[in-house]
Amino acid sequence: MKKFVNWARTTICKPKDIVYPETEEEIIELVKLCNASKTPIKVVGAGHSYNDIFCPGENGVLVSLKKFNALEKVDKERHQVTFQAGMRMPRLIKLLKEEGLSISNLGTNVFDNVAGSCATGYHGSGINYRIFSNFVTKFEIITPTGEKKVITKDDPEYDIYAVSLGMLGIVIRITLQCEPYFKLKVVEKKMSFEAIEAEFETLLKENDHFKFIWIPHTRDFMVWTANRTEEPANGWWKMFKTYFVSGVIINNFLHELLLFFASFNRRLIPKVNQLMSRLLLPEKNVSVYPSHWAFFLPHVLKQDVVEYAFNIKDTFKVFREIIEMIEEKKIYVDAPIEVRFVKGDTFWMSPTQGEDTCWIGTKIHFPLGREPEYFRYFSEVDRILLKYRGRPHWGKQFRITTEEFKHNYPKWDEFWSFVEKNDPNGIFTNRFIKRLKGEA
């Protein structure tokens, strides 16, 4: 039996086989064989999902497209690129730069597989930008019965395929809308919670990209804004200090060492957080970087994550409840809580479907392999967010009933009816999906 472990080491998948097709024909043949024998099949990208959405089970076949990852076409006039679905973000960013192009918006993790990001609702921050799938102008897919299907943005079924949870076949090719290569002027500054709330509409509307973070057990908040600029980029020394010294050495290695000692006495977490805040949060810092560097935040320290989207009008109500919950329940949270903003869309299974959203994400670290008890904290976050019709990120952790999903997703039943029609043998169904539907 083969084994695949995700990046965070929160899921171990033991499929019957792991295969690495290199051509479109091999993928079609594989899907047809699995459909004929009713063998479960799932695709894994970079392994950055925290749950088991990608695992086909012990009798299934796990597919990696990492050998099917070529850039096939560059349309410089339309600023569009077409590539095979094994493409990962770092390589795509590098290839785009060579062509004078950039991706308009990214999250802090830029190591994901592109197709997997679309399937799970990957997003950045900026109220004028929808989730990543919105940049896709065309999907080419091998359906569960082995036929090739093309879905363009003007296709009525685009809203179904844009966030598919990997249920509608194997995406083999993507055409992505980009823009000319650009730089971002990033401003990071401390602000009080009250000031962020008072200036919220201005921060949201007057910046291309805006988010803020809170360091639990402190009163330290930091606002991050980024706007397109023609100013010259900072030199290598500032990038070295920002991404290697602060980002890797302090925020990952030193932080991990401190958390390792605090794992024996969680009451030390507030002191660790206060120290990290003094080391890493500037009163004000202004930088100019190529866009992908501006979005990027180094992640080395293993962690588990929960993140929810909800109506943007409830941003500060929800955040206050989370702060109060942490204090009242005496829960020690060892990582910043990040708050981002995304424009609404019409995709059936998108967490931002139908409304502009605030996303609140929180995590717990596993320093040097030590795993603290954190499910009580995540369950409390679930409880608060469900009061506000929160919808979880599909690639992260959550504990929600099928009835709650039905309440929060207007197209829930229609989506699963569409899946059953297109995958009559259920070969893309796994335990994760059965839990969503209340069948496991």
Side-chain angles (χ1 to χ4, degrees), residues 17 61 134 149 165 242 245 271 292 297-298 326 333 419 437:
D17 199 8
V61 175
N134 188 67
K149 187 171 186 176
L165 312 188
T242 299
V245 177
K271 295 293 185 184
H292 54 279
L297 182 67
I326 290 171
V333 181
V419 168
K437 298 171 69 178

Side-chain angles (χ1 to χ4, degrees), residues 276-298:
M276 297 305 294
S277 178
R278 286 198 297 272
L279 291 173
L280 294 173
L281 264 60
E283 290 298 326
K284 185 174 182 180
N285 182 53
V286 180
S287 309
V288 177
Y289 295 128
S291 60
H292 54 279
W293 279 107
F295 293 125
F296 170 56
L297 182 67

Side-chain angles (χ1 to χ4, degrees), residues 22 65-74 81-88 91-92 95 172-174:
E22 299 182 34
L65 299 182
K66 69 179 185 178
K67 295 182 180 179
F68 186 71
N69 66 352
L71 178 64
E72 296 184 336
K73 181 181 178 182
V74 178
V81 292
T82 300
F83 49 87
Q84 296 170 345
M87 181 73 74
R88 295 187 183 181
R91 185 161 180 268
L92 178 60
L95 294 171
I172 59 166
R173 199 167 280 106
I174 285 174

Side-chain angles (χ1 to χ4, degrees), residues 1-5 11-18 20 62:
M1 184 176 291
K2 306 292 180 67
K3 182 169 77 170
F4 181 90
V5 182
T11 297
I12 299 175
C13 181
K14 296 180 178 179
K16 180 173 64 176
D17 199 8
I18 302 176
Y20 302 88
L62 185 64

Side-chain angles (χ1 to χ4, degrees), residues 353-383:
Q353 194 269 336
E355 58 191 16
D356 292 347
T357 55
C358 170
W359 288 77
I360 287 185
T362 185
K363 56 191 176 185
I364 293 292
H365 288 122
F366 305 152
L368 298 174
R370 288 186 61 83
E371 184 175 319
E373 194 288 315
Y374 62 96
F375 289 103
R376 180 169 71 104
Y377 173 49
F378 279 12
S379 296
E380 289 292 336
V381 174
D382 292 335
R383 177 185 62 79

Side-chain angles (χ1 to χ4, degrees), residues 18-34:
I18 302 176
V19 297
Y20 302 88
E22 299 182 34
T23 67
E24 180 178 322
E25 291 72 24
E26 288 177 3
I27 298 169
I28 293 172
E29 182 182 3
L30 177 62
V31 173
K32 286 183 174 179
L33 283 172
C34 287

